[in-house]
Amino acid sequence: MAEERVATRTQFPVSTESQKPRQKKAPEFPILEKQNWLIHLHYIRKDYEACKAVIKEQLQETQGLCEYAIYVQALIFRLEGNIQESLELFQTCAVLSPQSADNLKQVARSLFLLGKHKAAIEVYNEAAKLNQKDWEISHNLGVCYIYLKQFNKAQDQLHNALNLNRHDLTYIMLGKIHLLEGDLDKAIEVYKKAVEPSWQQAA
């Protein structure tokens, strides 16, 4: 998902080849975004050192205001295990684009990885206000509540996630709740539903 976000926000360079007759100058990238395509290219190729070099240059040119460069830098930090650093960068992205549910989801994910489950829930709830039909938000809220042993709230969020989209992982977490509560029969029932075709469940 993080890579989906990277792909959807990428812009590629326009052609600057001369044409005749030509009266207007070819369109140019805004300075904040002119190297986003190159950052994306290095990232999807997993050439993280080259990616970080371009990010550094881009941030110097934009005085640290290029959201996309910051976002990808945060993703790389997380991959490298620098969770606190990634959190701080994702928080910067959230400040630059406060209406982005994706930025908030990344902040919440970093908080979760740091074991700050209550704080993660707060941020996921803020993200949910911006996108109420996001399976990932509901699922991750459920997981956070499991860690806090608030199983009723966890079940509510996981059922909501399943209503939005059937994912095996959500069924697994729902079954885990029943196992933690000592209810093996309910856990088995959930796991059986996970392997049923959708049309059978609808019936």
Side-chain angles (χ1 to χ4, degrees):
M1 300 158 195
E3 290 194 5
E4 290 177 4
R5 154 68 185 257
V6 172
T8 56
R9 300 188 55 183
T10 305
Q11 297 188 34
F12 293 92
V14 295
S15 173
T16 56
E17 294 179 0
S18 60
Q19 299 178 4
K20 295 181 180 180
R22 184 177 181 182
Q23 297 179 344
K24 295 183 179 180
K25 187 178 180 181
E28 296 180 353
F29 279 110
I31 188 171
L32 294 181
E33 303 173 353
K34 69 177 184 178
Q35 295 198 82
N36 285 2
W37 67 275
L38 186 55
I39 292 170
H40 170 72
L41 185 63
H42 287 311
Y43 182 82
I44 62 173
R45 289 180 175 176
K46 299 183 179 180
D47 188 355
Y48 300 132
E49 291 306 315
C51 190
K52 287 190 287 187
V54 179
I55 288 172
K56 182 178 179 180
E57 179 182 344
Q58 179 81 328
L59 291 177
Q60 286 176 342
E61 290 183 3
T62 62
Q63 298 180 343
L65 295 177
C66 179
E67 180 191 347
Y68 186 79
I70 297 170
Y71 185 91
V72 177
Q73 178 74 81
L75 290 176
I76 294 173
F77 275 157
R78 181 184 291 168
L79 288 170
E80 293 174 339
N82 300 317
I83 310 301
Q84 182 62 43
E85 290 85 347
S86 78
L87 169 62
E88 292 169 2
L89 291 181
F90 283 130
Q91 288 173 327
T92 299
C93 291
V95 171
L96 291 173
S97 293
Q99 297 304 310
S100 169
D102 192 55
N103 286 339
L104 291 176
K105 283 162 55 178
Q106 295 293 0
V107 171
R109 177 64 178 163
S110 293
L111 288 168
F112 173 84
L113 292 173
L114 289 169
K116 300 179 180 180
H117 302 117
K118 289 183 179 180
I121 287 172
E122 292 180 5
V123 179
Y124 275 128
N125 282 329
E126 289 300 314
K129 293 177 183 178
L130 299 173
N131 188 351
Q132 297 180 355
K133 295 184 178 181
D134 189 317
W135 162 84
E136 184 182 356
I137 293 174
S138 295
H139 174 86
N140 288 337
L141 276 169
V143 174
C144 287
Y145 281 122
I146 290 175
Y147 276 89
L148 295 176
K149 301 187 185 308
Q150 297 181 27
F151 297 138
N152 288 335
K153 289 183 177 181
Q155 288 187 62
D156 289 343
Q157 291 295 337
L158 293 173
H159 281 300
N160 186 46
L162 288 173
N163 288 333
L164 294 169
N165 207 334
R166 291 186 64 205
H167 276 265
D168 291 344
L169 187 56
T170 303
Y171 280 110
I172 291 171
M173 299 310 296
L174 195 55
K176 181 177 180 179
I177 292 174
H178 295 309
L179 291 175
L180 290 170
E181 293 179 326
D183 196 333
L184 181 59
D185 290 338
K186 279 191 176 181
I188 292 173
E189 183 180 342
V190 168
Y191 295 141
K192 284 182 177 179
K193 285 184 179 180
V195 296
E196 285 180 4
S198 299
W199 62 269
Q200 286 188 358
Q201 293 194 24

